[in-house]
Amino acid sequence: MFSSTVMKFLNFGARVAVCGYVSQYNRLKDKEKVPAHGDILVFQSITIKGFMFWEYRSQFPKAYDDMIKWLKEGKLKHKEWITDGFENMPKAFIGQLSGENYGKPIVKA
């Protein structure tokens, strides 16, 4: 879940968006039921809200246009995780699910 280390540095009334939990899917037994430092959530009036990207599908066309523009202007940076060899595709996929790699996964055949 949300990092307990970061939690104590959030401002009063902080809002935290949580998306992209794929690396945690296989850690069911390790999941915290309540985040550590839950008292900070209460006393600092912090809101943590999960969301799925499709909730914003009506905004996709504008977002696409904006991101293309920002990429061309150099305002938007991205990372890629490149794996060489089609035979290594399962390793790349497992790395994505386990949180081992970062950025857009690419397998070069």
Side-chain angles (χ1 to χ4, degrees):
M1 174 125 190
F2 190 66
S3 170
S4 300
T5 304
V6 172
M7 182 96 59
K8 56 188 164 192
F9 294 103
L10 294 174
N11 290 329
F12 183 86
R15 294 168 299 189
V16 179
V18 181
C19 184
Y21 210 64
V22 70
S23 68
Q24 303 302 310
Y25 287 169
N26 294 322
R27 296 182 58 201
L28 290 174
K29 65 178 188 257
D30 297 334
K31 286 186 182 175
E32 298 174 349
K33 301 296 183 218
V34 176
H37 303 292
D39 56 328
I40 295 173
L41 290 172
V42 173
F43 292 117
Q44 290 291 95
S45 295
I46 295 169
T47 301
I48 298 178
K49 181 183 184 317
F51 69 95
M52 295 301 291
F53 71 93
W54 60 72
E55 295 176 54
Y56 301 92
R57 65 184 162 272
S58 66
Q59 298 176 38
F60 286 4
K62 182 181 181 327
Y64 181 80
D65 292 342
D66 287 345
M67 287 190 282
I68 293 295
K69 178 183 168 204
W70 296 333
L71 276 168
K72 289 178 180 177
E73 295 173 351
K75 292 180 179 178
L76 186 62
K77 308 288 184 201
H78 68 282
K79 294 182 179 181
E80 297 175 342
W81 183 272
I82 300 173
T83 302
D84 287 317
F86 187 77
E87 68 279 2
N88 293 317
M89 189 181 295
K91 181 180 176 187
F93 181 69
I94 291 168
Q96 180 184 7
L97 295 177
S98 69
E100 176 185 329
N101 54 20
Y102 58 87
K104 180 180 181 76
I106 297 172
V107 177
K108 289 186 176 183

